[in-house]
Amino acid sequence: MIIVWGSIEALADRLEEARRLSLEHVIRSRGEPGCISHSVQVDVENPNRLVFFEEWEDQSALEAHFALAESRDFVGKVSTLALTPPQIRIFESTLMN
């Protein structure tokens, strides 16, 4: 399984737009092949920071997600609403029973 953690810190006056775009992206992504989970939360210590958590079946599913025009458009749009560049970290994980 592939785990993706990401975040953006939205400009205060653009927060609502960033939240709207992020939720639309999350909902759309959940329907993609290989998506196990995809969510966005508000950081309780910094309400302008949105945190993304995703789980993908494998690297190829994640690469297909990143290759979609909709995903690239989301990153481009949300980047214009951010105080700093978006952060992303990708981890490979093994499920333990």
Side-chain angles (χ1 to χ4, degrees):
M1 173 183 3
I2 304 298
I3 297 172
V4 178
W5 174 91
S7 70
I8 65 156
E9 184 173 352
L11 296 163
D13 63 338
R14 307 300 297 273
L15 177 60
E16 288 309 312
E17 185 177 0
R19 288 177 69 161
R20 179 185 58 78
L21 287 172
S22 297
L23 185 57
E24 289 172 1
H25 174 70
V26 163
I27 291 169
R28 181 190 53 74
S29 298
R30 287 177 185 157
E32 293 177 27
C35 182
I36 298 168
S37 71
H38 202 298
S39 63
V40 60
Q41 296 85 32
V42 176
D43 184 330
V44 297
E45 293 182 300
N46 178 354
N48 291 336
R49 185 171 180 245
L50 303 176
V51 179
F52 298 85
F53 182 81
E54 310 169 29
E55 296 173 301
W56 295 88
E57 287 179 2
D58 53 34
Q59 186 65 33
S60 62
L62 180 60
E63 289 172 6
H65 168 69
F66 286 154
L68 290 174
E70 293 90 340
S71 294
R72 291 191 311 273
D73 290 346
F74 165 71
V75 172
K77 288 177 184 176
V78 81
S79 294
T80 68
L81 309 174
L83 182 63
T84 59
Q87 296 182 16
I88 188 168
R89 293 187 179 149
I90 301 171
F91 305 91
E92 189 170 353
S93 176
T94 302
L95 291 175
M96 297 178 65
N97 294 333

